[in-house]
Amino acid sequence: MSKRTRILSLFVVFLMMAAASVSVNKSLFGHGMQGGFCTEASSGAPADSVTVLPDGTTVIHTGAMSGTISGYAGTVPLDIHIKDNRITGIQPLENTETPAFFKRAAVILEQWIGKTPAEAEALKVDAVSGATYSSNAIINNVGVGLAAYDGEGARNTAAVPVKIWIALGVTLAACVLPLFVRNKVYHTVQMVANVVVLGFWTGQFLDYSLMLKYTSAGFTWPTALIAVAMLAAAFIYPLFGRPQHYCSHICPLGSAQQLMAEICGYKVRLSRRVVKGLDWFRKLLWAALMLLLWADSFVGWMDLELFQAFQFESASAAIIIAACVFVLLSAVVARPYCRFVCPTGSLFKRAENLD
């Protein structure tokens, strides 16, 4: 297959995701798409960043500020209520963040209530385990709002956690080392690191929610560095003769299936007819899910991808059980979820023109 054909396939996939972003989030790279016109994306907050209510309460609208920080799947604008120099409430506004992650992270909002803006700015609030992106987005949005209230301008107040830098190191190792190292021991160590660090510890992986976030809202640095490296492995590497690099060397769920396959020597031999039927099932499933995105109907399926099981503290029991079943099945069937179900993997294959 020529490089020109691969580039054309990649461009088609980009158009697919752009159309989904406009349909679902009414936004493309941070610009709202309303009535065919491109405008600044709306967060549902008033245009002014500060409103004073009749009872003297000052309301800070972080959604109207350029410093608003994205969470896992989108921005998380807040209204911060201040009266008599005390924070009386913090109200989350409508957002596109993954509901399970945001619900878990939102518990930290209570930590600022009753404090003065100065006390709140000095307060060190830790991110909630299992919802790091959403937590840091809330922390940063509060910091941005309070900085504006104090007349200091929008600024970020939460440092990038050390574990995110560690996850970036693991990701870069998975992007680079397999190009030069052909060693089974290294491969096993990398798979374990992918599962433990990228999966359970930091929840760093590509899925539809994350990709739709970036096509809708653009990138937020430096936390987007991991995603950019993963996206490069998924979409750019195939242009240079490295097909399925992300799925084979980085994806924590793919890594878990590969590790399970090494445990059992017995493998079920699927007939060519069965493999072909299952592959058609994957293609039809992916086509149906893309149609739902373009129609802005039942877009919640994005939260049902099995990668969410790594964040088990916020994932549903059904997702965790399904992920466990597929991982166990991979002991006798090679990477069954990757090969026959995964919508994200299907998108990558379409970009590589493998379907």
Side-chain angles (χ1 to χ4, degrees):
M1 186 187 306
S2 68
K3 183 176 292 188
R4 180 178 298 178
T5 301
R6 291 185 184 276
I7 292 174
L8 180 60
S9 297
L10 181 59
F11 181 67
V12 169
V13 165
F14 169 77
L15 293 179
M16 288 179 174
M17 292 303 293
S21 298
V22 173
S23 177
V24 176
N25 294 330
K26 309 299 184 291
S27 178
L28 186 63
F29 294 115
H31 296 279
M33 310 293 290
Q34 299 291 341
F37 295 95
C38 182
T39 60
E40 289 301 315
S42 172
S43 65
D48 295 331
S49 59
V50 178
T51 301
V52 179
L53 302 181
D55 66 353
T57 298
T58 299
V59 183
I60 304 166
H61 312 289
T62 68
M65 299 175 180
S66 60
T68 299
I69 308 300
S70 292
Y72 180 73
T75 57
V76 290
L78 307 170
D79 274 0
I80 305 173
H81 296 248
I82 301 175
K83 185 177 182 180
D84 298 330
N85 202 38
R86 294 281 175 180
I87 298 174
T88 58
I90 302 178
Q91 176 188 2
L93 302 182
E94 182 179 352
N95 60 70
T96 57
E97 182 68 321
T98 303
F101 290 168
F102 187 76
K103 181 179 180 181
R104 181 170 180 78
V107 299
I108 66 175
L109 293 173
E110 295 296 326
Q111 298 189 42
W112 290 286
I113 306 301
K115 293 180 170 54
T116 67
E119 291 171 341
E121 287 190 272
L123 182 67
K124 180 175 176 55
V125 177
D126 294 327
V128 176
S129 177
T132 303
Y133 273 114
S134 299
S135 300
N136 284 331
I138 291 173
I139 293 168
N140 277 291
N141 270 277
V142 171
V144 163
L146 294 177
Y149 177 78
D150 287 340
E152 301 174 19
R155 58 182 170 85
N156 294 343
T157 58
V160 178
V162 172
K163 66 180 184 179
I164 296 299
W165 293 115
I166 294 175
L168 177 61
V170 171
T171 302
L172 293 177
C175 286
V176 176
L177 293 182
L179 303 179
F180 308 100
V181 180
R182 302 288 190 275
N183 182 282
K184 186 176 181 180
V185 174
Y186 156 71
H187 180 72
T188 300
V189 170
Q190 182 70 62
M191 295 300 102
V192 171
N194 294 344
V195 172
V196 175
V197 177
L198 301 183
F200 289 110
W201 193 32
T202 62
Q204 301 291 321
F205 42 75
L206 295 180
D207 62 4
Y208 261 85
S209 292
L210 189 68
M211 289 186 288
L212 205 64
K213 164 194 170 179
Y214 287 130
T215 52
S216 297
F219 294 97
T220 302
W221 308 103
T223 54
L225 286 172
I226 297 174
V228 168
M230 290 181 175
L231 288 168
F235 292 114
I236 306 302
Y237 273 38
L239 298 177
F240 299 92
R242 298 292 300 186
Q244 298 288 285
H245 187 93
Y246 171 80
C247 297
S248 300
H249 298 284
I250 304 175
C251 175
L253 185 53
S255 298
Q257 292 175 86
Q258 291 186 58
L259 289 171
M260 182 58 69
E262 296 179 6
I263 294 177
C264 179
Y266 172 77
K267 295 294 182 287
V268 174
R269 294 182 61 87
L270 301 178
S271 69
R272 182 175 299 179
R273 183 176 181 180
V274 170
V275 171
K276 186 176 181 179
L278 290 172
D279 191 51
W280 269 107
F281 167 77
R282 175 187 59 79
K283 293 176 181 178
L284 293 173
L285 174 65
W286 176 70
L289 294 177
M290 285 302 301
L291 288 173
L292 288 174
L293 285 183
W294 294 331
D296 193 16
S297 175
F298 188 55
V299 297
W301 69 260
M302 292 187 293
D303 296 330
L304 301 178
E305 290 196 88
L306 298 191
F307 310 108
Q308 307 297 337
F310 285 108
Q311 303 301 288
F312 57 89
E313 294 178 324
S314 59
S316 68
I319 294 296
I320 294 173
I321 292 172
C324 290
V325 168
F326 273 102
V327 171
L328 291 174
L329 183 61
S330 65
V332 293
V333 177
R335 300 169 69 213
Y337 183 75
C338 301
R339 295 166 63 199
F340 306 128
V341 180
C342 184
T344 296
S346 295
L347 185 75
F348 298 157
K349 288 183 178 181
R350 179 64 268 169
E352 297 178 34
N353 202 24
L354 296 179
D355 276 337

